[in-house]
Amino acid sequence: ISICRDLPNIEVITFSVNGISDLEPLTRCHNLSELYLRSNNIRSLDELFHLKALPRLRVLWLAENPCCGQDPHRYRMTVLRALPGLQRLDNQAVTEEELSQALVDGVEITAPPARRDVENGWAKSLESSAAGSTAEPGSHLLSCSLEEANKIQEELGMKPVPRDKYSSFSLLETDCDQRKRDNVLNAILLLLKELDAEGLEIIQQTVARRLQAFQKKELQEE
């Protein structure tokens, strides 16, 4: 998510099921209109303080995070009090009545969290998600991630990723390098949408040279 500090013009961000716990990197995304953060590790609604400076934010999906707590009404009212410009919250339309009620029932957020528990956030998020599911461990997480990745691929005119090929980027993969590669892949796909034709041609040429270098290296090793 730290890459968002360098994307001030990005309009839509999908980071669902990613173990995210800190929203501070989003403070510079002033053109952001849609933000999808379902099933992460956001522990405190005080993290919404970082979104209060985003004037164009209209859609937020925050469900299935620890910060949602056990009281759905209090949670929704607090979010709407902090972000009264929202039109949809957790895939449900926001009404004028709710915005008025939020001033009464919602908790005011005046500062970011004093303490952020970022370490081990990935593992804790996976444990809590797996504990609440009766399906095969990890199957729901994998299907969600694959669906979101293929949505980006489709928007870019690329072929969808086959499930057997995507397994190497599994969200249940415990190896740090694998998770890093997964995050880099998603970041690159998002950045491609920001490029014009000239930029995409440069990327295409760079990728071609990289592939040739890898193929040459493999031949030498053989």
Side-chain angles (χ1 to χ4, degrees), residues 20-21 41-45 47 65-68 117 120-121 124-125:
I20 292 170
S21 59
N41 197 36
I42 301 170
R43 296 182 173 277
S44 172
L45 286 177
E47 290 289 345
N65 274 277
C67 65
C68 298
D117 181 14
N120 300 322
K124 291 178 181 177
S125 178

Side-chain angles (χ1 to χ4, degrees), residues 121-138:
W122 180 276
K124 291 178 181 177
S125 178
L126 291 181
E127 288 172 4
S128 60
S129 298
S133 175
T134 57
E136 180 182 350

Side-chain angles (χ1 to χ4, degrees), residues 12 16-17 36-37 48 50 75 90 92 105 111 126 129 131-132 139 147 159 179 220:
V12 179
S16 297
V17 199
Y36 301 92
L37 295 169
L48 296 177
H50 299 303
Y75 152 73
D90 296 338
Q92 181 178 343
D105 296 346
L126 291 181
S129 298
S139 61
E147 179 183 349
K159 293 182 179 180
R179 298 204 307 268
Q220 291 175 344

